[in-house]
Amino acid sequence: FYDGCKGTVKYNNNVFYNNLSRNSNTISCFPIFINVTGNPASKTISTKITNCVFEKNGGGIIVLANVNCFIDTEIANCTFYDNLYPQFVRNTWDTIIGEGTYFNYSIHNSIIWEPRSNIWNMFYTNEPEDINISGFQINHSCISLPGPGGPPGSLEAFGDDMLYGVDPMFVDSASGDFHLR
């Protein structure tokens, strides 16, 4: 998305499986990559990702933006399983979000079952020297983490009705059947 644009991107009922090299977690390994860039003109982008499965990918969902943007990313009713890290990236090109910039990244009613990952690797923002997960909002989801503790911002990021470390009991994840028993 570029210069003064407005748009809505919707992904519904998709399966993202084994995308690109799992040996590298470069930006080319993310099945969904939203990049809002260009001149500082105002941009409004809404991304809705619902009822999708992300399995064995190089990463998850990355959203990049520069200043003066209205970015709304909503992930609902999705399953993330056995992906490399990071699964969720929220990143501004300018480390200081400018006045007039709004950046929402919410996840709800989802299963994030990444037993080979930890909170430090699941969520990434544009602050490599000061790792935090501020700006994410996770509610009503099951996650493979033992609890909400970790980097700064994690207690605020994890909201209501979370299940921590509770196996979702997929029917047969080895065969790609993510129905719940």
Side-chain angles (χ1 to χ4, degrees):
F1 298 97
Y2 197 75
D3 288 352
C5 67
K6 293 182 180 186
T8 300
V9 179
K10 294 181 180 180
Y11 298 90
N12 187 33
N13 296 323
N14 294 288
V15 175
F16 300 94
Y17 174 76
N18 204 26
N19 285 280
L20 300 173
S21 172
R22 296 191 73 226
N23 297 322
S24 169
N25 63 343
T26 64
I27 58 175
S28 62
C29 295
F30 288 84
I32 296 180
F33 180 99
I34 305 293
N35 186 11
V36 183
T37 188
N39 294 326
S42 179
K43 296 167 231 28
T44 301
I45 305 301
S46 176
T47 305
K48 307 291 183 199
I49 303 163
T50 55
N51 304 315
C52 295
V53 174
F54 294 79
E55 179 190 8
K56 293 183 171 50
N57 297 295
I61 300 166
I62 184 171
V63 181
L64 307 178
N66 63 1
V67 297
N68 296 324
C69 295
F70 180 93
I71 309 298
D72 183 30
T73 303
E74 180 183 350
I75 301 162
N77 306 322
C78 292
T79 299
F80 295 83
Y81 177 77
D82 197 24
N83 297 286
L84 289 181
Y85 57 86
Q87 285 83 24
F88 308 101
V89 177
R90 176 193 178 276
N91 195 344
T92 57
W93 289 114
D94 185 349
T95 56
I96 300 173
I97 295 179
E99 205 174 295
T101 297
Y102 172 81
F103 204 141
N104 177 56
Y105 199 122
S106 66
I107 303 165
H108 55 275
N109 298 330
S110 294
I111 297 173
I112 305 165
W113 201 252
E114 302 289 348
R116 295 185 301 146
S117 191
N118 59 45
I119 193 169
W120 303 90
N121 294 329
M122 279 186 193
F123 302 93
Y124 180 78
T125 61
N126 194 30
E127 300 184 32
E129 284 86 37
D130 181 25
I131 295 175
N132 70 70
I133 64 170
S134 297
F136 289 98
Q137 299 158 4
I138 306 101
N139 293 295
H140 307 284
S141 295
C142 175
I143 192 164
S144 57
L145 300 173
S154 57
L155 294 177
E156 296 81 16
F158 294 105
D160 297 333
D161 297 319
M162 294 293 298
L163 291 175
Y164 298 100
V166 176
D167 189 334
M169 298 176 47
F170 298 122
V171 170
D172 187 4
S173 58
S175 298
D177 186 349
F178 292 100
H179 289 91
L180 303 179
R181 284 190 239 160

